[in-house]
Amino acid sequence: MPAKIKILFLAAEAEPFVKIGGLADVAGSLPLALRSLPFEATGGAMLDVRLVLPFHRAIRAEVATLHQAAEFSVHRHGGNIPVQVLEISSGGMPVYFISGAPISNSPTVYSPNPALDREKYAFFSLAALELTRQLDWYPDIVHANDWHTALALYALRSQQPDPQLRRARTVFTVHNLPYMGGDGSDVLSAYGLMPLNDDSLPKWAQTQPLPLGLWSADAIIPVSPTYAQEIQTPGFGCDLDPYLRTRTNNLSGILNGLDINTWNPETDKALAACFNANELPVRAVNKAALQKALELKDDTRIPLLVMIGRIDQQKGLDIAFEALHLMADKSWQFVLLGSGDRALEDAACRLQMDFPDRVRMAFRYDEALGRLLYGGADMFLMPSRYEPCGLAQMIAMRYGNVPVVRATGGLKDTVEEGRTGFLFGEASPGSMVEALRRALTVHADPEKWQHYQRNGMREDFSWPRSARRYASIYHSLLSGL
Ligand code: ADP
């Protein structure tokens, strides 16, 4: 085992530079957590993890702290594309930002135009690999995340001419299986990547980035143990389940951790009042602040239910809206913070029209309001149809906000019925109503409710536990050489 293991960590987004969703939380904290593991957790090796991100327009970085790390070009059909790489140090870790025309041509992190995204991320993936050659820093492990960076693994496996780079082992974390990147035949051929000639993957998948990443990976890591099982079944496998079952031996789920310093109700400046597990009544100050700001009835005894997240079919918002209709006889208030799917946003507006006194919507990304909702509301709803891991329910628990969730993926692995939250099985309003009624009954007994809150707040969702599991995967891949 080398004294130092070099890990190239590739992602489309990472905190604190740019965030769209949970991937940014993970890519922002896992590399640092890996770097700070004690030697006994890494087989005595130092983990030299380096993060590479596209230099999106939205990147937040002090320009003065950036310096140029490399300049080279990536070959594309019809000519070379110049690449400029800027570097910054984040908590002692080198972070590289790749820039070039396919990245600057696309104004947002993820574009509504899939072709623009495929071009951007294919270019990014290949430039990130080439960067390691330019720096003469050859990784032992290339760790990619989701479809955006999957082609780096495929390029490494299928056509990498440099033997020093080719010997790297590959890890692919799957945060969201259904987003595969679409048919990439055009970019594959434009960037000179050979089509896959292996029928272990279904024909349609042989040109899509995510399946090619799965095919190329030595280790496939879905972001929770339950999701790792689920994607091997027809209900969740998006037609890749037969292939994934052939990879069972290379597939294991690792739950995402939470950055417990960023998410800490004792120090969170966005809260009206900070608190810990021994000062739960203080939370009422945050609830009162929310009711005032959102012009809801100012009565902190009314259960306040919230949802925070992308407004997407995946998240089961329609199930929650219908369940709330079915619970009209009960006393509750409901706040939704998020944006996304227009039809679901319209459905949310209809809910607000039906319950004008007790429903509020905020269709935007709002970090501060999100934090106040975590720290002031009573119940956190996540009726997801599928949920690879889910961070929001872990944040909610850490803030004494009791989750009511569907028993799927990471929700099932992190929330425990009767101890930290309430679960329901079927993705239906009726099933959710049963869980909500159980929750409201317990909520009516403050002592019992505080039990749930404290249990949730004392759960250990910190990164070191998950980072150790990643380190042992790296270790086993490299010992197998
Ligand atoms: P996903 O990765 O599927 O989007 P997660 O639950 O894993 O969902 O992570 C979502 C993260 O993004 C959480 O940190 C959540 O607080 C945050 N988030 C999502 N939407 C919003 C929003 N509109 N305003 C503030 N924070 C948001």
Side-chain angles (χ1 to χ4, degrees):
M1 189 61 49
K4 189 195 260 188
I5 301 178
K6 289 177 278 180
I7 300 144
L8 180 72
F9 196 96
L10 308 177
E13 46 173 311
E15 282 278 46
F17 305 108
V18 59
K19 172 167 172 175
I20 303 293
L23 175 58
D25 292 284
V26 177
S29 18
L30 175 56
L32 290 171
L34 284 164
R35 286 176 73 96
S36 31
L37 281 178
F39 282 142
E40 45 93 5
T42 64
M46 185 251 168
L47 301 186
D48 179 9
V49 189
R50 301 187 182 192
L51 173 65
V52 191
L53 296 169
F55 197 47
H56 302 292
R57 287 195 201 169
I59 290 283
R60 301 181 294 260
E62 293 268 337
V63 176
T65 59
L66 291 167
H67 63 269
Q68 183 149 324
E71 225 176 353
F72 52 92
S73 62
V74 163
H75 184 69
R76 191 190 191 286
H77 184 69
N80 286 338
I81 306 181
V83 182
Q84 228 201 19
V85 184
L86 299 170
E87 180 181 351
I88 199 172
S89 166
S90 174
M93 172 177 67
V95 177
Y96 302 102
F97 298 111
I98 303 245
S99 67
I103 293 173
S104 50
N105 285 347
S106 168
T108 49
V109 175
Y110 305 116
S111 164
N113 174 353
L116 215 55
D117 260 7
R118 270 197 296 278
E119 180 72 38
K120 172 183 196 171
Y121 288 109
F123 168 78
F124 169 68
S125 300
L126 296 176
L129 279 187
E130 179 58 25
L131 170 66
T132 65
R133 278 167 30 83
Q134 297 287 330
L135 297 175
D136 195 20
W137 181 86
Y138 288 95
D140 301 296
I141 302 276
V142 177
H143 188 155
N145 292 274
D146 276 354
W147 78 263
H148 323 101
T149 50
L151 288 183
L153 305 189
Y154 182 59
L156 201 64
R157 276 295 154 266
S158 65
Q159 67 155 49
Q160 181 49 239
D162 185 329
Q164 289 205 74
L165 197 45
R166 209 166 49 218
R167 69 173 181 81
R169 310 312 305 261
T170 51
V171 175
F172 188 40
T173 298
V174 181
H175 301 261
N176 210 332
L177 186 73
Y179 292 82
M180 298 196 190
D183 178 10
S185 318
D186 47 351
V187 285
L188 288 173
S189 80
Y191 285 98
L193 292 170
M194 305 285 188
L196 179 66
N197 188 11
D198 177 353
D199 283 334
S200 64
L201 269 185
K203 202 87 201 143
W204 62 265
Q206 292 180 9
T207 54
Q208 302 216 14
L210 180 130
L212 291 173
L214 295 172
W215 179 87
S216 312
D218 296 316
I220 300 170
I221 316 286
V223 286
S224 68
T226 296
Y227 194 56
Q229 295 306 316
E230 286 173 341
I231 60 174
Q232 297 180 60
T233 65
F236 295 86
C238 306
D239 296 330
L240 288 178
D241 45 297
Y243 172 73
L244 288 167
R245 287 196 294 276
T246 69
R247 300 293 310 276
T248 277
N249 292 339
N250 315 108
L251 202 158
S252 62
I254 302 182
L255 208 56
N256 288 332
L258 201 61
D259 183 336
I260 57 169
N261 299 319
T262 322
W263 296 107
N264 183 357
E266 281 197 272
T267 54
D268 195 326
K269 292 200 170 55
L271 295 179
C274 292
F275 59 92
N276 62 35
N278 300 318
E279 309 163 328
L280 286 169
V282 174
R283 291 184 88 255
V285 176
N286 297 316
K287 188 167 174 180
L290 281 167
Q291 287 174 328
K292 184 156 187 270
L294 298 167
E295 297 179 6
L296 285 164
K297 186 170 178 205
D298 58 345
D299 180 349
T300 54
R301 287 167 309 175
I302 302 173
L304 177 58
L305 284 46
V306 294
M307 291 181 85
I308 303 172
R310 289 180 294 116
I311 298 191
D312 187 282
Q313 269 299 105
Q314 173 198 343
K315 301 287 180 183
L317 290 107
D318 50 324
I319 298 172
F321 299 162
E322 191 51 40
L324 290 171
H325 268 115
L326 295 171
M327 306 253 305
D329 59 314
K330 295 279 180 190
S331 166
W332 48 260
Q333 294 171 334
F334 173 68
V335 178
L336 167 65
L337 168 63
S339 63
D341 185 285
R342 279 305 290 271
L344 284 169
E345 287 189 5
D346 290 347
C349 292
R350 285 196 295 276
L351 183 77
Q352 181 164 1
M353 281 192 278
D354 292 340
F355 299 100
D357 301 333
R358 41 176 165 157
V359 170
R360 293 291 178 269
M361 302 290 145
F363 296 133
R364 59 178 188 269
Y365 189 92
D366 188 334
E367 181 87 24
L369 177 59
R371 287 172 180 274
L372 194 55
L373 287 167
Y374 282 121
D378 300 293
M379 295 177 202
F380 195 84
L381 314 187
M382 270 177 100
S384 307
R385 292 197 159 77
Y386 71 95
E387 193 60 71
C389 176
L391 288 172
Q393 83 282 8
M394 295 193 236
I395 302 172
M397 281 187 262
R398 191 155 160 72
Y399 280 64
N401 193 334
V402 178
V404 180
V405 303
R406 181 150 180 261
T408 184
L411 296 172
K412 193 171 167 190
D413 294 332
T414 52
V415 181
E416 203 182 313
E417 174 75 35
R419 201 176 71 80
T420 57
F422 301 85
L423 291 117
F424 58 98
E426 205 181 284
S428 72
S431 182
M432 183 170 187
V433 164
E434 279 175 37
L436 280 171
R437 287 193 190 275
R438 286 199 304 281
L440 289 175
T441 304
V442 178
H443 184 263
D445 180 338
E447 211 167 296
K448 272 197 191 150
W449 189 252
Q450 288 192 9
H451 235 71
Y452 277 72
Q453 291 180 294
R454 269 193 223 102
N455 288 340
M457 292 181 80
R458 289 182 181 144
E459 291 290 283
D460 177 10
F461 294 125
S462 66
W463 264 110
R465 217 173 42 159
S466 305
R468 277 171 189 261
R469 296 229 28 230
Y470 273 104
S472 84
I473 300 268
Y474 298 153
H475 201 267
S476 61
L477 290 178
L478 295 172
S479 358
L481 279 177

